[in-house]
Amino acid sequence: MRWALPLVVLIGLVAALLTWTRLGPAAPPATDAPIVVYLLDNGFHSDLALPRAALERRDGPLGQAVATLEPGDWILVGWGDARFYVDQSPISDRLPDGARAFFRPGNPSVVMLDPEAGDPRERYAPDRRAVLHLTPVAFDRMADRIEASLDLSSGALRVAAARPGDDARFFASRETFSILHLCNHWAAGVLNAGGVTIRPARSIFSGEVIRAVRAAELDTAAPRA
């Protein structure tokens, strides 16, 4: 019986963590056409597809970074560990490095910007993608959150990695990667800045991030969506 109270407390804490919800900031009513954004899920990792024109019209480091990329009407945006995320060798060869990225605190990270010429949805099944219609204000808040991830400590953007034959560029990020702050946590945080309500603890999974975007689109009464 002496373990009953601590067990109840532990169960309560876990339940509170799993149900913890973070509302996104409300946006003023839209006066312009909405900006379409896609969330793409490969089964364990989430990327955002953002319209290039909307990013390039912004002043600041993010717009400058996008302007340096190869042609493409869409920009795939992601975040991850500076080594594991960039490496495309077979996953079976990278398991030790994956364990390092998960369990060692303070790993350097990168923001990926990858120009896409075609429709970004074409390579993803319907259950692996979701659409979001944002007001310009909400889009700028989302872009501001992405920009805040960039490492500008040297006074300028820094390309940390690039892959041969690949147009993607990986810019140094000021954030660190670990099991407490994974790629899907980051994507959920970016969406939250744009007005999407998220459940941070559950956002370890890409499916939860997809769920949050679909819920935001269904909640047509909420100006934050």
Side-chain angles (χ1 to χ4, degrees):
M1 292 294 294
R2 67 175 182 271
W3 298 106
L5 181 57
L7 182 59
V8 169
V9 171
L10 178 60
I11 292 172
L13 289 174
V14 171
L17 183 64
L18 292 177
T19 57
W20 169 38
T21 300
R22 183 189 297 163
L23 297 176
T31 57
D32 299 310
I35 298 175
V36 176
V37 169
Y38 297 108
L39 182 71
L40 308 173
D41 170 19
N42 69 7
F44 63 91
H45 171 85
S46 302
D47 281 333
L48 293 159
L50 308 182
R52 183 177 193 142
L55 291 172
E56 285 192 332
R57 69 172 172 76
R58 294 169 48 87
D59 294 325
L62 182 58
Q64 294 167 15
V66 169
T68 68
L69 301 175
E70 293 297 317
D73 291 336
W74 293 88
I75 305 297
L76 304 186
V77 182
W79 177 88
D81 178 79
R83 190 164 68 198
F84 186 81
Y85 183 36
V86 177
D87 191 354
Q88 287 191 312
S89 58
I91 190 70
S92 58
D93 296 340
R94 296 190 286 139
L95 293 178
D97 191 47
R100 183 271 312 162
F102 266 58
F103 299 113
R104 192 184 76 180
N107 297 293
S109 66
V110 289
V111 175
M112 181 195 74
L113 301 179
D114 185 7
E116 181 81 12
D119 189 328
R121 299 169 293 175
E122 288 182 351
R123 291 182 280 114
Y124 292 81
D127 64 331
R128 295 294 187 186
R129 63 182 190 248
V131 64
L132 193 62
H133 297 82
L134 296 175
T135 66
V137 169
F139 179 85
D140 279 339
R141 288 173 178 170
M142 177 183 289
D144 286 344
R145 175 62 185 85
I146 296 170
E147 190 169 88
S149 292
L150 297 170
D151 180 5
L152 303 175
S153 58
S154 64
L157 292 162
R158 179 168 60 87
V159 176
R163 294 188 292 232
D166 191 331
D167 290 337
R169 293 295 179 267
F170 297 86
F171 293 86
S173 171
R174 66 174 185 81
E175 301 182 55
T176 58
F177 186 96
S178 74
I179 196 169
L180 297 178
H181 186 43
L182 299 173
C183 56
N184 295 318
H185 292 132
W186 184 86
V190 170
L191 290 163
N192 184 242
V196 175
T197 296
I198 63 168
R199 294 182 293 194
R202 297 190 185 188
S203 295
I204 190 172
F205 302 110
S206 58
E208 170 64 20
V209 186
I210 284 274
R211 185 213 62 80
V213 170
R214 288 176 176 155
E217 279 292 291
L218 288 172
D219 187 8
T220 55
R224 62 175 58 91

